[in-house]
Amino acid sequence: MPRGHVLTRLVAVGALIAPLAALSLMQSPVQASNVHANSRAVCPAPPAGYASCRALVVTDAQGRPLSSTAPSGLTPSIIDSVYGFPTNGGKGQTIAIVDAYNDPNAASDLATFSSTFNLPPCTTGCFTVVNQSGGSNLPKTDSGWSLEISLDIEWAHAVAPYAHILLVEASTASFTNLLTAERYAASHANYVSNSWGGSEFSGETSYDSSFAQPGVSYFVAAGDSGLPAQYPSSSPNVISVGGTTLTLDANNQLISETGWSSGGGGCSAYESPSSAQAAFSQYSAVNCAGMRATPDVSLDADPNSGVSVYDSTPYNGQSGWFTVGGTSASTPMWAAASADAGVVMNAATVYGSTLTFRDITSGNNGAPCLIGYDLCSGRGSWIFSTSASTTTSSTSSTSSTSSTTSSSTLPSSGSMSVSMSVGTKSQKGPNYKVPLTVSAADSSTGSPVVGASVSLDVYSGTVCSGAPVATGTGTTSSSGNVTFAFSTKSQGNWCASAGVTAPNYSPASSSIGFSTP
């Protein structure tokens, strides 16, 4: 039987061992409506003058949405831990969610979500649904937008559990109707979340006045297809929200947060930057030639680290718990976190000095994630409080170029700093080969640790847990490095975890995420 995954030592002094498991080929066909191997867009691509929702639902290998009777994605407590969001936030604030069409079970689905995760109930007096003009005659139902609505209201409530939620349902997904809903929402809420958009178009600037109510914070999903910029994310009057990927350990503790390969971003073709963005010291680095740069900020959006959503309105014949991602997830969370803080979140706030960001320095959405501001993740994700998880690495699960990570180091004398990097991937026929380098250095002096014993395990998925698919051992050279080659015929995401021991040093470890191809 051919071996599916092989880990060999390329540069080391020591032994290597064979893979623990041989897995069958797991390549997934890509369908027209499923541009991601394991997720699909919930809403179809829009015609001119219309918008599409930004939700991506996790699917099986044939592109069928996966649903279950229990939560399958990340939970509110995990997201709260990653970003330090409070569990009692949102008091006295109203978050408006603007979407198209009607979700007939929105209230009951929100109740199920709340009770499942022990959140405060949000029923009469907390949750209100109106049409685009504020009336009670709601539009027709659309199953895709219903899943989008469930995502939006449930995760606004998860992050700001004591805020009021106003769901404003546009009659259709036309910009005309959605912006009518936008204006109503802004006149009745402090924070407005928009998980929809479309391609930029000439004349879009004439719509920017719909996002100009004083004292109101507007948030718009940057999109789920990388570059270029999209509208209304490109409006200078809104906060453009991009996407990241979370890699967690077996205990759901954060290993790394990296730029999501499909997170939206780019330079606008029609919009000028806000005065705050134009004056920001790092704006010139993205080379937008005086045009609006997106995104402004980011948060978890990759379906591979997607969130749990309950939706009882059948979508493609499925209902129950789904795992959902896209910048549709990061956008209502940013709106809700802003409600927690009780601040007006505009360009002046984002490009000022009052917020604490986790700088996303690895990943690529068509533009690389860099130190500081970039078109991959904007200024980064929001570290709301000091209780937020600290990353033990800063890695890329999508870039084919080398990306270095660094682990937390032990404070005592004789401690090591361990880092990992992913080298340039190669493909020969159906086989992918990925170099993985582990480096060990003295924490105090930075000198390489020579002769350290390294044990490397590779796991399937974005979390280093369960049974490894391959493992290897080696010894660091005079440079403090040892390099392994992970070979596989499978496409997907992987997590590599290295443990390092050496005489006179405390054990240390590091992890990194990567993908094939």
Side-chain angles (χ1 to χ4, degrees):
M1 177 176 173
R3 297 184 174 187
H5 312 283
V6 179
L7 188 62
T8 57
R9 177 178 48 82
L10 289 183
V11 181
V13 179
L16 61 94
I17 58 178
L20 293 179
L23 302 184
S24 59
L25 184 65
M26 297 185 294
Q27 292 174 319
S28 302
V30 178
Q31 301 177 1
S33 60
N34 180 19
V35 297
H36 303 270
N38 66 334
S39 63
R40 60 179 290 172
V42 167
C43 296
Y50 284 73
S52 176
C53 71
R54 298 306 196 189
L56 298 176
V57 63
V58 170
T59 69
D60 62 17
Q62 285 71 47
R64 296 183 293 252
L66 292 175
S67 64
S68 60
T69 57
S72 52
L74 300 187
T75 66
S77 62
I78 294 173
I79 291 295
D80 288 348
S81 173
V82 168
Y83 297 111
F85 295 145
T87 58
N88 61 349
K91 294 177 181 178
Q93 306 294 345
T94 298
I95 304 167
I97 305 294
V98 174
D99 280 314
Y101 302 105
N102 176 238
D103 178 358
N105 302 331
S108 60
D109 289 349
L110 178 58
T112 297
F113 182 88
S114 300
S115 62
T116 300
F117 295 119
N118 296 314
L119 297 171
C122 189
T123 54
T124 303
C126 171
F127 178 63
T128 305
V129 186
V130 297
N131 65 23
Q132 65 187 40
S133 302
S136 58
N137 185 19
L138 301 178
K140 67 179 181 179
T141 298
D142 179 277
S143 62
W145 280 90
S146 290
L147 182 53
E148 174 65 63
I149 289 170
S150 292
L151 166 63
D152 291 343
I153 62 175
E154 289 168 14
W155 279 90
H157 183 54
V159 174
Y162 288 94
H164 296 279
I165 297 177
L166 171 65
L167 172 61
V168 185
E169 297 181 331
S171 299
T172 71
S174 71
F175 278 109
T176 298
N177 286 322
L178 283 165
L179 294 179
T180 298
E182 190 77 18
R183 291 187 290 273
Y184 178 86
S187 65
H188 293 82
N190 316 85
Y191 305 90
V192 185
S193 177
N194 304 277
S195 295
W196 47 267
S199 299
E200 285 200 293
F201 52 92
S202 61
E204 67 184 40
T205 58
S206 65
Y207 291 111
D208 290 343
S209 60
S210 296
F211 306 99
Q213 181 76 21
V216 175
S217 305
Y218 299 89
F219 304 84
V220 177
D224 304 329
S225 55
L227 277 57
Q230 301 198 359
Y231 190 80
S233 165
S234 58
S235 170
N237 297 342
V238 309
I239 302 303
S240 172
V241 185
T244 64
T245 300
L246 300 180
T247 301
L248 308 174
D249 65 16
N251 297 314
N252 290 318
Q253 297 300 303
L254 183 64
I255 294 174
S256 67
E257 183 171 25
T258 62
W260 177 38
S261 60
S262 295
C267 303
S268 173
Y270 303 102
E271 302 275 5
S272 298
S274 65
S275 58
Q277 185 182 63
F280 185 56
S281 60
Q282 299 166 16
Y283 166 71
S284 60
V286 299
N287 298 317
C288 279
M291 304 303 286
R292 165 79 158 115
T294 64
D296 297 304
V297 296
S298 290
L299 219 64
D300 177 39
D302 188 345
N304 287 299
S305 52
V307 295
S308 297
V309 174
Y310 185 78
D311 182 26
S312 62
T313 301
Y315 173 70
N316 277 32
Q318 304 294 314
S319 60
W321 288 98
F322 297 86
T323 298
V324 186
T327 49
S328 279
S330 54
T331 301
M333 287 194 278
W334 253 96
S338 299
D340 290 340
V343 299
V344 176
M345 192 62 64
N346 54 23
T349 307
V350 167
Y351 292 100
S353 58
T354 59
L355 303 182
T356 300
F357 291 97
R358 178 183 289 133
D359 191 10
I360 310 300
T361 59
S362 292
N364 194 307
N365 66 342
C369 285
L370 307 169
I371 295 174
Y373 181 76
D374 51 58
L375 302 177
C376 177
S377 64
R379 293 207 66 187
S381 62
W382 191 355
I383 305 302
F384 194 90
S385 76
T386 55
S387 65
S389 298
T390 56
T391 58
T392 58
S393 59
S394 175
T395 69
S396 168
S397 61
T398 57
S399 174
S400 61
T401 58
S402 117
S403 56
T404 303
T405 76
S406 59
S407 70
S408 56
T409 59
L410 299 169
S412 60
S413 60
S415 63
M416 281 187 294
S417 173
V418 174
S419 64
M420 296 183 66
S421 63
V422 178
T424 302
K425 305 167 192 174
S426 60
Q427 181 178 2
K428 186 174 182 180
N431 298 303
Y432 302 102
K433 181 175 286 187
V434 184
L436 301 169
T437 298
V438 181
S439 303
D442 185 286
S443 297
S444 299
T445 67
S447 301
V449 177
V450 181
S453 297
V454 179
S455 176
L456 182 66
D457 295 322
V458 177
Y459 301 83
S460 176
T462 59
V463 179
C464 287
S465 64
V469 298
T471 187
T473 60
T475 305
T476 56
S477 66
S478 59
S479 63
N481 301 328
V482 58
T483 300
F484 301 83
F486 175 65
S487 299
T488 182
K489 294 182 179 180
S490 300
Q491 298 181 18
N493 293 301
W494 312 93
C495 183
S497 177
V500 182
T501 59
N504 303 317
Y505 287 96
S506 299
S509 63
S510 185
S511 301
I512 192 169
F514 62 97
S515 65
T516 53

